[in-house]
Each structure stands twice: as structure tokens, then as C-alpha cells.
Amino acid sequence: MTIPTASTRERRQPGLDEQRAAAGASSWLVEARQFVAAISRTAAKDPGTRAALRSGVGKGLDDVPRMHRIVAPLLPGGVLRDAEGQRAFYTVAALIAAYHRHGAIGTGEPSGPGEGDAARLAATAVDAGPEAGAAVPSQRAVRRAEAERQRRERFGESLGLAFAAAVARGGRQGIRESAAETRLNLLSKQSTSGLHRHLPSAVRQLCDRNTALDWARLLVDLRSWPQQRRRVARWWLQDYYRARAAADLAGALTADDDSVAPSGPAA
């Protein structure tokens, strides 16, 4: 697989480019997953390394001397002369280490009902045959579930989906919908420096609710932000609102099923 270079042409082709992703995960996402896996393993087994990485939360490249020993050897060649690209890797490494105690280390498999879960539940309920009931998925629902799995493999799950999953938890285990919207809208308006400055508090908010992030997708989005800020922000917001709509639909369908459930035989 071709590794992106730091050329202007390549930097303008973010890791989520639809054409390149058609045959599988993009080169940027593959790189990100490899980096996240390496950082996760190192941070999990060595407290000293974890502390060194954690020292870089919210800081720029020139203010994290303790991180270079760990992160620099793991950087892909495409960012060696790209300071903004490097900062994305350093930021994600620091965040992974900082939230290790929350069980947030890893590739970012969702720990709660995210967009994929809600969408599949809604599809299953809608597509089930009238006699089979919502618990028996139709072939159409199975195809949708498989398409969703392939989409997640190719593109990962965005920050918007993570916030949607946190909202779906509800109660004290989750995040209020208004708070999630406010946070996402704030992040979406930031410059590159502003995003790096505000991101730690957003990640902490999610991890405090035991909502895992897709660190690799976050890394790709951070790397893309300088040239594709509006597009990435649009993806985050669209993913969030689609997920919330799917969750609301699934909840409504479940409530309808409960309300029409057959009662016992008449006395």
C-alpha cells in the first residue's frame, strides 16, 4: 500500500478519500491503526512511558521533549517534514496515555450504542416480517449490517459517533444531548491550534462516561484538519445527527412493539 508523502498534493488527499477507500481502508487509516496499536501496547505495559506521553497533553511539538523518544521512531515517513501532521500523532499518543485508566486504550471499538448499533437495530425492526416480529432480521437487515461493518472497517468511527454513543447511554452514564451538541459545534469551529487545545477536555468528557474512541480515525481527522477542516467538521456533525436520529427511531419502534404486544388469553 502506498504511503502518503508530505507533498502538497498528498496532504490535500486526506485519509478518508472516498475513491481510495473504495478498495479498503486508506493508507492514512492503516498507518494510524498501526501507530495506535504500538502506542497502546507501550503505554499499557510501562508506567514511565505512559507518564512521558501523558506529559504532552495540550502541548505543542516544541514543548514535549519527553515524548520524542517514544513517538519519533513510530512516525510514518510522510510526516517527517510536516509539523502539523506530526502534531496529530503526538496529540493522539498523549491522549491515549492520559486516559488509559478509563480503559480507553485501543483501536476505538465502541463501548456503547453508537451509530452502527442504533442503525442496525432500526433496520432490523423495520425490515422484519410482520409475522416474524422485530427480533428476526430480514435479509435486507443482514445486508445492511454487513455494509455497516465494511464501512467501519474502511472509514473508522468519527468523533461525532462517539458523542452520539455517549448520549445514547442516558442518565448519569451518558452525556446530555445539549452538552454533546455544544461540544461538537465548538470543536467544529476551531483552527488547527484551537482544536488541539480543546480536544483534551472533549476526550476526557467521553472517557469519563466510559465511551471508547476510535483513536485511529481521530488521528486521521486531526491530520486532515489543516486542509479539510470544514469537511471533517461536517462529517462529525452529520455522523452525530444521523446516529441520534437512528437511535430515536429504534427507541420509538421498540416502544410501539411493547404497546401492541399481545396480552395473555382471556379469562
Side-chain angles (χ1 to χ4, degrees):
M1 180 170 289
T2 302
I3 302 299
T5 67
S7 67
T8 301
R9 179 179 180 274
E10 185 63 38
R11 288 204 311 266
R12 291 182 183 278
Q13 296 294 324
L16 298 180
D17 181 80
E18 289 81 2
Q19 292 182 349
R20 291 171 61 190
S26 72
S27 60
W28 278 26
L29 188 55
V30 170
E31 286 179 347
R33 286 171 173 165
Q34 293 171 344
F35 177 82
V36 166
I39 290 293
S40 298
R41 287 192 300 267
T42 302
K45 68 183 181 181
D46 185 352
T49 295
R50 191 159 63 247
L53 292 172
R54 192 166 55 239
S55 70
V57 172
K59 297 179 181 178
L61 286 177
D62 297 330
D63 301 315
V64 291
R66 298 174 63 192
M67 293 186 69
H68 298 311
R69 171 180 62 87
I70 306 154
V71 178
L74 300 176
L75 294 175
V79 299
L80 296 184
R81 289 181 173 81
D82 177 6
E84 290 177 333
Q86 288 185 36
R87 190 175 184 185
F89 284 85
Y90 275 75
T91 292
V92 169
L95 292 174
I96 289 173
Y99 299 104
H100 171 65
R101 64 185 182 277
H102 296 282
I105 280 186
T107 56
E109 287 301 318
S111 61
E115 185 270 347
D117 298 321
R120 283 192 295 273
L121 177 59
T124 298
V126 170
D127 293 330
E131 296 180 357
V136 181
S138 67
Q139 291 184 355
R140 183 180 179 187
V142 172
R143 289 195 299 270
R144 286 187 179 183
E146 176 61 19
E148 174 65 20
R149 186 195 65 77
Q150 293 179 2
R151 184 195 67 79
R152 291 168 65 183
E153 174 64 24
R154 291 179 178 180
F155 300 104
E157 296 198 341
S158 74
L159 193 64
L161 294 179
F163 272 101
V167 171
R169 287 180 177 275
R172 294 184 178 182
Q173 297 296 319
I175 298 175
R176 295 193 316 274
E177 190 161 14
S178 60
E181 290 183 8
T182 298
R183 179 77 71 175
L184 273 176
N185 279 292
L186 175 64
L187 293 173
S188 298
K189 297 175 183 177
Q190 299 303 312
S191 63
T192 301
S193 295
L195 181 62
H196 283 273
R197 186 171 61 254
H198 285 277
L199 196 57
S201 59
V203 170
R204 183 175 64 248
Q205 185 180 29
L206 289 167
C207 291
D208 281 345
R209 302 303 192 277
N210 293 317
T211 301
L213 288 88
D214 185 336
W215 296 110
R217 168 65 187 270
L218 180 61
L219 173 50
V220 170
D221 286 348
L222 285 177
R223 193 175 170 184
S224 303
W225 195 267
Q227 288 78 36
Q228 302 283 348
R229 179 180 67 83
R230 289 187 175 183
R231 178 174 295 181
V232 175
R234 170 168 58 83
W235 285 333
W236 289 358
L237 292 169
Q238 287 181 337
D239 283 351
Y240 173 80
Y241 285 114
R242 286 178 59 246
R244 292 302 304 135
D248 289 344
L249 175 60
L253 290 169
T254 300
D256 288 344
D257 288 342
D258 291 342
S259 66
V260 299
S263 58

